[in-house]
Amino acid sequence: MVELKLKKCLICGRVVEVTNDEPVMCCGQEMVDVIPNSTDAAVEKHVPNYEKVEDEIFVTVNHVMEKDHYIEWLELVTDTEKIKVELYPEQEASARFPYVQGSKIYAYCNKHGLWVKEVE
């Protein structure tokens, strides 16, 4: 399974996707790995949920979508492809993706980072 690898700058907050484990620099320092969470212990909900509808999944995140706190994007990662949907404040945190058993759905919150759920 292809994994989503992200690095984040602790100074400016920039997040980039990487394809290897080599160091990436930003703002004069090495960016840190972003490790996905899968257990939602926060009052806000972050773990993506999905409903299978024929050959697709309808993904939702029960999360506020305010200008200063929102889900920035949802992404489906399979063995062969990555499909990303950008989201914006005041829109619903949802997207449709093809159903691929064993794939992973990622959600990125601008305040609480990366969250993941495996598609069964």
Side-chain angles (χ1 to χ4, degrees), residues 29-97:
Q29 71 178 30
E30 187 174 336
M31 296 176 87
V32 298
D33 291 330
V34 176
I35 308 299
N37 296 297
S38 60
T39 304
D40 208 339
V43 173
E44 295 291 345
K45 301 297 179 191
H46 294 94
V47 177
N49 294 298
Y50 69 91
E51 177 183 345
K52 186 175 181 291
V53 180
E54 296 178 7
D55 61 345
E56 292 184 319
I57 54 173
F58 180 62
V59 178
T60 58
V61 183
N62 183 22
H63 191 279
V64 297
M65 293 296 283
E66 300 168 348
K67 289 182 181 178
D68 65 338
H69 186 195
Y70 64 101
I71 300 297
E72 289 186 18
W73 48 261
L74 297 170
E75 186 163 353
L76 178 77
V77 177
T78 73
D79 284 336
T80 59
E81 66 183 332
K82 296 177 183 175
I83 304 169
K84 187 177 200 176
V85 174
E86 300 283 339
L87 302 173
Y88 301 95
E90 300 179 13
Q91 105 180 66
E92 188 175 318
S94 65
R96 288 191 180 277
F97 296 105

